[in-house]
Amino acid sequence: SALKMAEALHEASTQIQLDVTVEEVLRLLFCIRCNSHSLYASEEGEEDGAAGAGIYVKGAQFNHSCAPNAEFYNTGSTLH
């Protein structure tokens, strides 16, 4: 669960002397989950599986919609 992951990351952060709470780590995890975009290694996209994820400031400013009117794609590490 996200809470267990946040607790584990919090424990790891104390070992490197970062002063963060479990709640701050959990919030960060949810921000990443809601604002990241999958990156694909080839133009075939999802069929090959995601090669990673990226957070793009401008891309994260788009709101979700159940009736979307735009799409995004990436070429290498560039979000279009």
Side-chain angles (χ1 to χ4, degrees):
S1 78
L3 181 56
K4 286 183 182 181
M5 183 182 291
E7 289 170 343
L9 288 170
H10 175 260
E11 179 63 30
S13 74
T14 59
Q15 294 174 7
I16 57 173
Q17 300 176 345
L18 288 177
D19 187 25
V20 294
T21 66
V22 172
E23 291 79 14
E24 290 170 323
V25 175
L26 189 59
R27 183 174 185 275
L28 178 61
L29 287 173
F30 286 131
C31 286
I32 292 169
R33 173 73 172 112
C34 293
N35 293 296
S36 65
H37 298 276
S38 296
L39 300 175
Y40 300 97
S42 70
E43 291 187 18
E44 282 75 34
E46 294 181 24
E47 295 175 13
D48 290 342
I55 296 182
Y56 299 86
V57 175
K58 289 187 180 195
Q61 292 173 344
F62 289 102
N63 287 325
H64 167 79
S65 173
C66 292
N69 63 357
E71 66 180 7
F72 70 89
Y73 65 95
N74 70 282
T75 305
S77 63
T78 304
L79 182 69
H80 302 277

